[in-house]
Amino acid sequence: MTTNIFQYGWWRCQARRGDLTHWQKWDAAYFLAAAVPLQTMMPLAVVLVYIGGLNYPESKMWYGGSWFPNATHGIVLYILKWLGVAVMSVGVFKATRLHKKIAAKWRQLRRVPPQVECQ
């Protein structure tokens, strides 16, 4: 799913036209490209350590029945995963220009219609 979102963002950036700088055209693709490894590191580590048995049990990320990683490398991977979610959210907003659509709708809703005087 993560790579498909990146692919969609790349396609949206490629379709942008006009007199744009490189960053204005490709900003969303850069955010999404940064999010892919950030979001996939933790699940990949879980698969390699717990399913593949890579350096198990020394590489365990959970000790003592914890629901969250409590080994140093597990905590770092967990933080990076959520950082990736934030970066991907920014990338999706930029690719779809959702922030501009929300702002325009907000301005439209906040416009006070002219009052009609009754005679």
Side-chain angles (χ1 to χ4, degrees):
M1 186 65 126
T2 301
T3 55
N4 289 352
I5 293 172
F6 170 62
Q7 191 176 26
Y8 174 74
W10 180 274
W11 174 74
R12 293 288 304 222
C13 290
Q14 195 174 27
R16 291 180 182 171
R17 300 285 180 243
D19 189 24
L20 302 172
T21 65
H22 179 80
W23 181 254
Q24 288 171 332
K25 183 173 182 173
W26 295 101
D27 60 347
Y30 284 119
F31 277 100
L32 294 170
V36 170
L38 289 172
Q39 281 191 293
T40 56
M41 280 190 284
M42 174 116 183
L44 179 63
V46 168
V47 167
L48 292 176
V49 172
Y50 291 100
I51 297 172
L54 182 68
N55 201 24
Y56 187 82
E58 293 82 20
S59 294
K60 287 174 63 174
M61 292 184 270
W62 289 269
Y63 291 104
S66 175
W67 283 91
F68 296 99
N70 51 9
T72 305
H73 65 286
I75 294 169
V76 169
L77 288 172
Y78 190 72
I79 291 169
L80 290 177
K81 178 186 104 163
W82 287 106
L83 179 64
V85 169
V87 171
M88 179 160 281
S89 298
V90 170
V92 167
F93 267 69
K94 287 183 166 290
T96 59
R97 301 196 187 272
L98 193 56
H99 59 293
K100 293 187 179 192
K101 292 174 187 176
I102 291 171
K105 187 67 172 178
W106 180 257
R107 279 191 301 275
Q108 178 188 3
L109 292 172
R110 297 295 298 163
R111 247 186 250 140
V112 179
Q115 293 192 4
V116 179
E117 293 183 27
C118 295
Q119 292 183 0

